[in-house]
Amino acid sequence: MTIVSESSQTDRSYPYVPRFGKIVESRMLTEQEKFYRIVMADGQPLDYKPGQFVEVSLLGIGEAPISICSSPTQGGFFELTVRKAGLVTNKMHELGTGDQVGIPGQLGNGFDAEVMKGQDVLFVAGGLGLAPARGLIRYVLDNRQDYRKVTLLIGSRRPSDLLFTEEIKEWESRPDCRTLVTVDRPDESWQGATGVITRLFRHLEIDAANCYAVIVGPPIMFKFAVLEVLARGVAENRIICSLERRMKCGLGKCGHCQIRHIYVCQDGPVFTYDEVKKLREGI
Ligand SMILES: Cc1cc2nc3c(=O)[nH]c(=O)nc-3n(C[C@H](O)[C@H](O)[C@H](O)COP(=O)(O)OP(=O)(O)OC[C@H]3O[C@@H](n4cnc5c(N)ncnc54)[C@H](O)[C@@H]3O)c2cc1C
Ligand code: FES
């Protein structure tokens, strides 16, 4: 008996049709975070934007929303960074090169890299926030001629928590991008800046009228980083963030991710600060 029509089997926009991704590379980035490069098993690359996410599905275990941390400019694969948090993510850590995971498709709105063209872009990425930010960082650096000054502020709790350390070294050595890194709690091996990420702002001159600030990190970092950029005159609609929210279906059906009238899985996870403020204030 045919229960799925031929047309729906091939319609890639239909998110309930199972698709699988094959892990082609995996390695630990830190004690808690594992990196995966994945290609779609059906040979049709994921058509994604930086800042979108996938609902990783492990048969018989469950699903977890994970940000895509690569840029489509890198090739026909996508990359994920997964922190061990519970059931699904612990099981995901047991998987490695050659294993398959369910990937129904790309979800969420992603960053609007077009609107930032011709502008300065200031990234403020803390902790695991560097994962979703990395997709846009790579996109901007791969289209470097389209953007003006690019500044990366990166922070982590300890040196051993820092993600993508090799790539950060590459960014630090680029003459067309300024990269400043800090850790809260240095160890004897750490040669760089120390203190919370907002302390790095003292080294910056911001051309507020021509700058977009992309802030991704834990809520406490977001709060203080927003105060810094606002104090320097960056308009609220030029401050971009990615919200994390408990999600279940990822498809706008279950209401788990709902904040007032919006569904973060559908309308987000990327919002401007003025949108976030209106949501909080119930406007
Ligand atoms: C849009 C989006 C993007 C994300 N991107 C990434 C990513 O790139 N890498 C990554 O490692 N994680 C990311 N997360 C978080 C990730 O989805 C959760 O850690 C994961 O769902 C936990 O599932 P689990 O079954 O392993 O843990 P569970 O067994 O469900 O829970 C373990 C613990 O984690 C808490 N928890 C679960 N989900 C969240 C959440 N969303 N926020 C805060 N606490 C939570 C639970 O309350 C519980 O205490 C993202 C979440 C969202 C919504
Ligand atoms: S996760 Fe179900 S509506 Fe957003």
Side-chain angles (χ1 to χ4, degrees):
M1 186 175 64
T2 307
I3 51 170
V4 181
S5 74
E6 208 162 278
S7 61
S8 68
Q9 277 175 344
T10 51
D11 179 2
R12 292 301 173 213
S13 64
Y14 185 63
Y16 298 102
V17 177
R19 291 184 78 192
F20 291 90
K22 186 174 177 187
I23 300 169
V24 292
E25 190 187 322
S26 65
R27 65 189 140 89
M28 293 303 290
L29 291 180
T30 69
E31 269 176 26
Q32 290 298 316
E33 280 100 10
K34 193 165 179 179
F35 168 88
Y36 303 87
R37 179 172 288 179
I38 298 175
V39 294
M40 295 310 289
D42 58 15
Q44 296 285 317
L46 213 59
D47 181 17
Y48 71 93
K49 277 175 30 174
Q52 287 192 291
F53 65 95
V54 289
E55 190 86 358
V56 174
S57 166
L58 303 184
L59 287 178
I61 309 287
E63 292 90 33
I66 302 291
S67 304
I68 300 173
C69 69
S70 52
S71 159
T73 51
Q74 290 176 253
F77 53 81
F78 64 97
E79 294 170 336
L80 306 177
T81 299
V82 179
R83 174 178 289 176
K84 269 187 174 187
L87 196 62
V88 176
T89 49
N90 276 314
K91 193 71 192 167
M92 182 82 184
H93 269 236
E94 292 175 17
L95 304 181
T97 307
D99 289 324
Q100 293 210 355
V101 289
I103 303 282
Q106 69 284 0
L107 297 165
N109 57 353
F111 294 110
D112 186 353
E114 284 297 307
V115 78
M116 299 179 206
K117 277 188 175 168
Q119 302 286 303
D120 293 350
V121 190
L122 165 66
F123 290 89
V124 186
L128 189 54
L130 183 56
R134 175 184 178 252
L136 185 62
I137 292 171
R138 296 214 47 150
Y139 183 91
V140 166
L141 293 179
D142 287 344
N143 293 285
R144 188 63 193 86
Q145 69 288 349
D146 292 340
Y147 300 89
R148 294 197 334 168
K149 201 164 73 174
V150 177
T151 308
L152 314 179
L153 304 187
I154 296 168
S156 75
R157 256 189 228 143
R158 301 171 302 168
S160 56
D161 297 327
L162 205 51
L163 301 173
F164 305 112
T165 46
E166 289 308 309
E167 225 164 306
I168 290 174
K169 278 186 205 150
E170 276 174 42
W171 297 338
E172 282 174 326
S173 68
R174 282 180 73 127
D176 60 353
C177 145
R178 186 165 182 217
T179 305
L180 303 175
V181 185
T182 185
V183 299
D184 297 355
R185 285 184 247 139
D187 59 19
E188 55 292 343
S189 72
W190 183 250
Q191 312 264 309
T194 59
V196 292
I197 197 165
T198 43
R199 292 188 67 179
L200 296 173
F201 276 89
R202 69 178 77 169
H203 304 293
L204 302 186
E205 271 176 31
I206 295 177
D207 175 6
N210 298 296
C211 177
Y212 277 90
V214 180
I215 305 178
V216 197
I220 186 76
M221 185 212 89
F222 179 72
K223 180 179 164 190
F224 288 105
V226 164
L227 290 176
E228 291 287 346
V229 287
L230 286 175
R232 283 162 174 78
V234 179
E236 291 180 350
N237 63 355
R238 286 174 164 264
I239 303 172
I240 318 287
C241 66
S242 177
L243 289 191
E244 258 207 24
R245 223 31 215 181
R246 288 308 301 266
M247 290 189 191
K248 228 170 185 173
C249 68
L251 301 170
K253 304 282 182 212
C254 72
H256 258 72
C257 66
Q258 191 174 1
I259 314 176
R260 300 186 192 278
H261 57 282
I262 66 115
Y263 289 138
V264 176
C265 69
Q266 301 288 288
D267 306 302
V270 175
F271 295 94
T272 58
Y273 178 62
D274 60 335
E275 289 170 334
V276 173
K277 228 174 81 174
K278 282 181 194 152
L279 281 175
R280 282 193 189 141
E281 290 163 1
I283 299 167

